[in-house]
């Protein structure tokens, strides 16, 4: 007698385990444990994804240390990682739009990306770009959506805008410089020696080495807009406002910004939201060649070392972690 085939919607071993990078107590990088845990089972409307890579973001340091608890409360223990790419291996009841074997990418606000498998609502994921290795696609969701929403929703970037992108050497900067140039903006960027050439290749027309000077000392005329991507103190916010023309704007993803009275500058601090429709548009820009990605890849087991490097300023650009 021929054995009954396994359903195409179900994985073959529901009792399997996997490796995951988890935090049992808040603290330094040493609290991250790369350990075996039960493999998740997709609920209604969810898919089970075999992770090709998880993206690392500076916010992961805040989640691990407990600094973000007032903003995004997390129950211990929890698995790190808020973006991933991978392959569908199981469909929960009612999950629609994808089939087993599809390559997907997405932001996962509940965490769980830093593992061999994750579950996520099917409606929150999109097809991965065909022009990239699947693992590299994990770099897109958080940084890409943050750059897009900051520039076009909060700053109202348009063709001809003169913009200063402060802290352009990181993952968000990689997208922000390219989005701004694609929109027809004139881009000035601050970047350190390690990332200056890369930022220039993204399309920045002027690079200011923040390790040696300030934009206020270098710029020959004011800018229309500052997009701040760096964790800066209050006095640095005031200095950035001095390079913005009256009626211009300062938009920040890291710290609240309150321009001094009388400058005529508006200040906005925002936290990016998950938006699968926007993410699909970003994937299309990658596939069309408008946006290119420079990615560093490391094994997921090295996540504690990545956190240490991030805290000491040794992480530049965008890093993905391979299970």
């Amino acid at each position: 007698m021929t054995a009954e085939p396994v359903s195409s919607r179900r994985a073959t071993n529901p009792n399997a385990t996997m490796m995951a990078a988890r935090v049992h107590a808040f603290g330094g990088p040493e609290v991250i444990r790369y350990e075996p845990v039960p493999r998740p089972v997709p609920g209604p409307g969810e898919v089970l994804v075999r992770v090709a890579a998880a993206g690392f973001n500076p916010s992961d340091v805040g989640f691990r240390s407990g600094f973000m608890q007032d903003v995004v409360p997390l129950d211990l223990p929890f698995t790190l990682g808020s973006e991933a790419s991978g392959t569908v291996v199981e469909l929960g009841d009612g999950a629609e739009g994808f089939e087993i074997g599809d390559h997907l990418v997405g932001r996962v606000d509940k965490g769980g990306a830093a593992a061999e498998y994750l579950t996520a609502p099917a409606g929150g994921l999109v097809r991965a770009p065909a022009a990239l290795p699947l693992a590299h696609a994990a770099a897109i969701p958080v940084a890409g959506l943050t750059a897009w929403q900051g520039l076009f929703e909060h700053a109202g970037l348009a063709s001809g805008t003169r913009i200063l992108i402060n802290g352009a050497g990181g993952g968000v900067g990689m997208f922000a410089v390219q989005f701004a140039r694609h929109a027809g903006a004139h881009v000035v960027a601050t970047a350190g020696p390690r990332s200056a050439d890369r930022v220039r290749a993204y399309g920045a027309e002027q690079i200011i080495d923040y390790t040696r000077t300030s934009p206020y000392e270098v710029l020959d005329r004011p800018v229309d807009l500052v997009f701040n991507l760096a964790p800066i103190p209050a006095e640095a916010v005031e200095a950035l406002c001095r390079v913005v023309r009256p009626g211009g704007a300062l938009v920040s993803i890291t710290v609240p910004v309150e321009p001094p009275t009388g400058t005529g500058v508006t200040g906005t601090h925002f936290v990016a939201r998950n938006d699968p429709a926007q993410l699909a548009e970003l994937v299309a820009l990658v596939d069309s060649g408008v946006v290119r990605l420079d990615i560093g890849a490391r094994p997921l087991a090295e996540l504690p070392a990545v956190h240490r490097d991030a805290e000491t300023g040794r992480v530049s650009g965008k890093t993905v972690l391979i299970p």
Side-chain angles (χ1 to χ4, degrees):
M1 180 181 295
T2 303
E4 181 179 351
V6 176
S7 168
S8 62
R9 300 182 64 87
R10 294 293 173 187
T12 57
N13 186 0
N15 299 315
T17 61
M18 66 175 186
M19 298 298 291
R22 301 213 299 171
V23 170
H24 293 257
F26 299 120
E30 69 280 357
V31 303
I32 301 173
R33 300 183 190 175
Y34 191 54
E35 60 187 4
V37 297
R39 190 170 72 188
V41 176
E46 292 185 330
V47 295
L48 177 68
V49 176
R50 182 173 65 247
V51 175
F56 171 78
N57 295 284
S59 58
D60 293 333
V61 173
F63 294 135
R64 181 218 74 219
S65 65
F67 181 76
M68 298 285 287
Q69 274 297 93
D70 291 340
V71 180
V72 184
L74 298 170
D75 295 327
L76 297 172
F78 69 91
T79 301
L80 290 161
S82 54
E83 60 184 344
S85 58
T87 305
V88 177
V89 294
E90 184 176 340
L91 301 167
D93 293 337
E96 298 179 349
F98 302 114
E99 300 294 337
I100 303 297
D102 283 348
H103 290 175
L104 306 183
V105 63
R107 172 173 152 172
V108 283
D109 291 330
K110 68 177 183 179
E116 291 182 302
Y117 293 84
L118 70 85
T119 55
L125 304 172
V126 304
R127 296 187 186 278
L132 285 181
L134 181 57
H136 289 191
I140 300 174
V142 172
L145 289 171
T146 300
W148 186 270
Q149 292 168 18
L151 291 175
F152 300 111
E153 294 185 358
H154 297 281
L157 185 75
S159 179
T161 299
R162 181 172 162 85
I163 179 174
L164 169 65
I165 299 177
N166 188 50
V172 178
M174 173 175 64
F175 288 96
V177 173
Q178 295 182 82
F179 291 163
R181 285 294 291 144
H182 182 60
H186 175 93
V187 180
V188 181
T190 68
R194 288 186 305 164
S195 57
D197 289 343
R198 181 160 36 83
V199 173
R200 186 175 290 106
Y202 296 150
E205 297 170 76
Q206 181 179 355
I207 306 291
I208 299 172
D209 183 353
Y210 70 88
T211 67
R212 300 180 62 183
T213 188
S214 71
Y216 183 74
E217 297 170 327
V218 174
L219 289 174
D220 58 351
R221 57 190 175 93
V223 298
D224 304 305
L225 167 68
V226 171
F227 190 25
N228 176 57
L229 313 179
I232 56 176
E235 58 269 22
V237 172
E238 183 175 352
L240 284 177
C241 288
R242 295 170 68 187
V243 306
V244 184
R245 64 166 175 80
L250 170 58
V251 176
S252 176
I253 69 170
T254 55
V255 295
V257 288
E258 295 184 6
T261 302
T263 62
V265 176
T266 60
T268 302
H269 172 247
F270 79 99
V271 176
R273 71 183 187 282
N274 194 4
D275 190 320
Q278 280 185 356
L279 180 57
E281 292 181 24
L282 304 190
V283 167
L285 289 176
V286 172
D287 270 335
S288 66
V290 169
V291 174
R292 68 180 183 87
L293 277 62
D294 290 319
I295 306 298
R298 296 176 67 171
L300 181 55
E302 294 182 7
L303 186 56
V306 173
H307 276 239
R308 282 190 290 270
D309 289 345
E311 290 182 329
T312 54
R314 295 197 299 270
V315 171
S316 180
K318 184 71 178 184
T319 299
V320 298
L321 300 141
I322 312 296

